[in-house]
Amino acid sequence: MEQKPDCGERRHDHDEPARPPLTYVPLGRHPLRRLPQLFIGLALYGFSLSVMVRASLGVNPWSVLYEGLTLRTPLSFGTISAVLGVLVLLLWIPLKQRPTFGTVANIVVLAYSSDLGLSLIPEHLGLPARVGMLIGGVLLNGFSVAVYVGARLGPGPRDGLMTGAAATTGRSIRLVRTLIEITVLAAGWLLGGSVGVGTVLYALMVGPTAQFFMPWFAYRGHELQREPQ
């Protein structure tokens, strides 16, 4: 009689540790393992933005905002993302988030990788190719979020809102991320950014995709190395 509830308890206990640790871990801990993960994730993230832009079926909510701002400034897509990233840091104050190495790397790498991707990916592709690029770009974006956030070198400005709000409210990453994307989407649309089916797909799918991959890439070395006292 005791085995059934015990099995249920084990499953429940097994589910709890599966929630990935996302708190900041100092750069000195396993930098050779975590730094490559950070930069690869950031580069993939910037590239995924370029893929979705070239798909021309609707960009992700932050890119809608970037496009709206590029219509009113002479700055490039990547430069706008960097400037806006610095401004978003102000929203960290009530969440008690502090910029880290990963935060700075996020601003710089995303700006360069997105502009580089736009210069390399051709425009005016056929519809089948664009649909494939859209789906692949959304999945790659969610995957890359899990990769670089999982390095635990500090989230970027935008993801600092996600992790900080999730920690403060106790809500899931999926829910918090989705709410942020929808809010940014509305602001970008009002500024004149392009909205399409890809925008809706991204807003609904990037949170679940990031949450799905997060346990695979979240650095756990710090927790595993702690010895019981």
Side-chain angles (χ1 to χ4, degrees):
M1 291 179 61
E2 296 180 358
Q3 288 183 345
K4 287 186 178 180
D6 187 48
C7 289
E9 289 176 1
R10 287 183 180 179
R11 286 186 179 180
H12 178 72
D13 292 342
H14 186 268
D15 289 339
E16 290 301 323
R19 301 189 70 175
L22 299 176
T23 54
Y24 174 73
V25 176
L27 180 60
R29 294 185 182 273
H30 295 147
L32 296 181
R33 177 251 196 248
R34 297 164 60 217
L35 279 176
Q37 177 176 333
L38 173 69
F39 287 115
I40 290 172
L42 291 175
L44 290 176
Y45 187 95
F47 183 76
S48 70
L49 298 182
S50 305
V51 173
M52 288 183 285
V53 169
R54 289 293 182 246
S56 300
L57 291 172
V59 293
N60 74 311
W62 282 101
S63 295
V64 173
L65 183 57
Y66 301 160
E67 283 191 341
L69 291 172
T70 55
L71 296 176
R72 293 164 171 74
T73 68
L75 302 177
S76 69
F77 183 93
T79 302
I80 285 291
S81 74
V83 172
L84 195 59
V86 174
L87 295 178
V88 168
L89 289 179
L90 296 176
L91 298 178
W92 285 30
I93 297 175
L95 300 176
K96 298 181 180 179
Q97 296 277 86
R98 294 183 178 180
T100 63
F101 177 85
T103 308
V104 178
N106 182 289
I107 295 174
V108 176
V109 176
L110 260 60
Y112 281 102
S113 60
S114 59
D115 276 349
L116 178 62
L118 289 173
S119 67
L120 295 176
I121 302 174
E123 301 182 66
H124 311 301
L125 298 173
L127 181 60
R130 290 160 52 207
V131 171
M133 290 172 63
L134 172 62
I135 296 174
V138 171
L139 294 177
L140 179 60
N141 191 276
F143 172 81
S144 64
V145 169
V147 172
Y148 75 77
V149 171
R152 299 178 67 182
L153 286 166
R158 303 154 194 84
D159 293 299
L161 289 178
M162 175 184 71
T163 57
T168 300
T169 63
R171 302 296 182 179
S172 69
I173 292 175
R174 175 177 61 247
L175 175 62
V176 172
R177 181 80 184 198
T178 300
L179 291 176
I180 291 175
E181 300 297 330
I182 293 175
T183 301
V184 170
L185 168 62
W189 178 73
L190 291 174
L191 289 171
S194 60
V195 178
V197 63
T199 309
V200 177
L201 179 65
Y202 182 93
L204 296 176
M205 290 304 300
V206 69
T209 302
Q211 182 160 306
F212 175 79
F213 284 111
M214 199 74 73
W216 296 11
F217 294 97
Y219 171 73
R220 303 173 189 269
H222 179 53
E223 285 75 15
L224 295 175
Q225 289 176 357
R226 293 196 311 194
E227 298 180 0
Q229 297 181 358

